[in-house]
């Protein structure tokens, strides 16, 4: 486990890894720039509503508008920081082949060309994964306010989801989805434990931005190790 994680971290400087990181980060920044532009229009609209509600151009309206703007922009900034890794999770699968090839070239040169899932399947899978992850975490939100319980619940939920998603994602390069699911279920414990490591990386600021890249490389190592155990 730690050996596979070390291999993933050790390949951070690989040109393919850097390329995927910079491209996915740039795309994510463009997406958030557009969202911030929409947020600006939203704040302006909110200012107008407050002004109309106050029916005055005096200091009370100015204070209300200033407070509303401050709270709105703080909220937008907070959501941007929280959701940035999730956006990266959506984008990274489109560059899976680049990361996988770099890992296989270095550690598994005997492997042939991997199977490439259809683009539509990749898009749908990415959206479904992020959607399910956000939905489950929103449902579990009340538990996150309970000390100690919150950590247990967070790592349990996200460890399972991340382990499942990344294992099946890399496995589909070598087998169809049905076979990938069967293999994951057969070695469910090892996949979930690997997911716990990924969930931990997701909670570390700055590092969580690159987590999807490391996760792909790490899980590819785990998959190949499991595949060799089965053979």
């Amino acid at each position: 486990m730690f050996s596979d994680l070390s291999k993933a971290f050790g390949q951070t400087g690989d040109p393919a890894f850097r390329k995927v990181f910079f491209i996915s980060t740039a795309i994510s920044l463009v997406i958030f720039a557009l969202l911030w532009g929409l947020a600006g229009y939203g704040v302006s609209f909110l200012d107008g509503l407050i002004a109309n509600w106050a029916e005055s151009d005096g200091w009370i309206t100015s204070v209300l508008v200033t407070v509303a703007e401050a709270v709105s922009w703080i909220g937008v900034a907070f959501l941007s920081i929280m959701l940035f890794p999730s956006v990266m999770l959506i984008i990274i699968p489109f560059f899976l082949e680049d990361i996988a090839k770099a890992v296989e070239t270095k550690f598994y040169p005997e492997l042939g060309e991997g199977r490439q899932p259809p683009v539509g399947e990749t898009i749908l899978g990415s959206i479904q994964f992020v959607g399910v992850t956000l939905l489950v975490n929103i449902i579990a939100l009340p538990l996150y306010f309970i000390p100690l319980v919150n950590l247990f619940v967070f790592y349990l939920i996200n460890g399972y989801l991340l382990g499942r998603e990344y294992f099946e994602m890399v496995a589909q390069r070598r087998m169809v989805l049905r076979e990938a699911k069967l293999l994951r279920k057969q070695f469910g414990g090892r996949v979930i434990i690997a997911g716990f490591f990924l969930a931990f990386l997701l909670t570390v600021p700055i590092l969580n931005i690159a987590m999807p890249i490391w996760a792909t490389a790490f899980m590819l190592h785990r998959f190949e190790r499991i595949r060799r155990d089965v053979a």
Side-chain angles (χ1 to χ4, degrees):
M1 178 76 70
F2 291 104
S3 173
D4 293 337
L5 198 61
S6 176
K7 290 177 183 176
F9 286 148
Q11 207 170 349
T12 301
D14 189 288
F17 279 46
R18 294 201 306 268
K19 173 187 172 183
V20 172
F21 176 78
F22 288 127
I23 292 177
S24 57
T25 300
I27 294 174
S28 298
L29 290 174
V30 169
I31 292 173
F32 277 100
L34 294 174
L35 292 177
W36 273 68
L38 291 174
Y41 283 110
V43 172
S44 297
F45 179 73
L46 180 62
D47 291 346
L49 289 179
I50 293 174
N52 291 332
W53 173 74
E55 296 181 351
S56 170
D57 292 328
W59 67 271
I60 295 179
T61 301
S62 298
V63 170
L64 289 175
V65 168
T66 300
V67 171
E69 286 183 349
V71 172
S72 298
W73 285 116
I74 290 173
V76 170
F78 176 76
L79 288 175
S80 297
I81 294 172
M82 294 296 293
L83 295 177
F84 195 91
S86 297
V87 174
M88 292 281 283
L89 286 174
I90 297 176
I91 297 171
I92 289 297
F94 295 100
F95 300 97
L96 168 66
E97 193 64 20
D98 292 333
I99 301 172
K101 281 184 177 180
V103 173
E104 290 173 351
T105 298
K106 182 173 182 178
F107 295 99
Y108 313 102
E110 73 280 3
L111 295 178
E113 193 74 17
R115 169 182 173 269
Q116 294 189 25
V119 175
E121 182 180 312
T122 301
I123 294 174
L124 182 61
S126 297
I127 294 175
Q128 285 179 337
F129 169 64
V130 174
V132 170
T133 301
L134 291 175
L135 178 61
V136 172
N137 279 282
I138 290 173
I139 294 173
L141 189 61
L143 297 176
Y144 289 156
F145 293 98
I146 305 175
L148 297 182
V149 173
N150 51 9
L151 290 176
F152 175 78
V153 171
F154 176 86
Y155 287 116
L156 180 64
I157 291 174
N158 291 282
Y160 170 76
L161 291 173
L162 289 169
R164 173 176 177 165
E165 173 66 14
Y166 276 92
F167 184 85
E168 291 182 0
M169 186 171 65
V170 299
Q172 284 183 76
R173 297 184 66 256
R174 298 295 167 183
M175 56 184 64
V176 297
L177 181 58
R178 181 180 59 83
E179 295 174 336
K181 287 182 178 293
L182 288 175
L183 187 63
R184 175 185 59 80
K185 291 176 181 178
Q186 184 180 354
F187 293 89
R190 290 167 67 171
V191 173
I192 292 176
I193 291 174
F196 290 158
F197 282 92
L198 304 184
F200 173 74
L201 288 177
L202 193 62
T203 62
V204 181
I206 307 300
L207 293 184
N208 59 4
I209 297 176
M211 188 281 286
I213 296 175
W214 289 326
T216 302
F218 170 59
M219 200 58 80
L220 194 150
H221 288 301
R222 298 306 297 159
F223 168 70
E224 289 300 334
R225 192 178 296 274
I226 288 174
R227 201 155 67 109
R228 282 162 171 70
D229 290 344
V230 173

